[in-house]
Amino acid sequence: MSAGRAYIHSLLTPGAVDTSDRRVAHFLVSAVLVLAIVASVGGAMVESLPDAGPAARRLVYWADRFAALVFSAEFIARLWSAPEEQVHNGSNKATRARLAYLGSLYGVIDLIAVLPAWAALVIPVGREFFELAGVLTLLKLARYLPALPLVAAV
């Protein structure tokens, strides 16, 4: 078990924070992630407007880049720190823990959030792919808003 990996895991996992310093850091990490979600969803909304001007498109461009950078960092950090979650669940195999994260609902949502930006680095990707991924990032809010899964359950 790595102390750095455990620390990163505690910052990304609601309820895993045990000190006031970590609570503040967890709050800041969560705030940046929620801001990236809002930027991604807002960008998808503005991009769908037929009469969005050049200034709006430029703002959407930078909002998308900000969201892609934040979501990429989050995805990599969650993938790296996934064995910490499995430590609590009785498994100590890092690869198995990372595969379990990738196969989980949140892992798939996190991958969908970064996939358009990563794909655009090597192949031309249509704007619609970014818009769809932007809307799907709304599902990421379930981690940060406890009432959202309750609404889905009802």
Side-chain angles (χ1 to χ4, degrees), residues 130-144:
F130 281 96
E131 290 173 18
L132 178 61
V135 172
L136 290 176
T137 57
L138 273 173
L139 299 172
K140 290 175 74 65
L141 281 176
R143 253 190 211 123
Y144 306 103

Side-chain angles (χ1 to χ4, degrees), residues 31-47 59-68 70-71 127 130 133-135 137-138 141:
V32 168
L33 288 167
V34 169
L35 181 62
I37 293 167
V38 169
S40 180
V41 172
M45 290 170 48
V46 170
E47 191 67 33
L59 181 65
V60 167
Y61 173 84
W62 288 109
D64 283 347
R65 296 311 173 264
F66 167 74
V70 170
F71 294 155
R127 187 69 217 153
F130 281 96
V135 172
T137 57
L138 273 173
L141 281 176

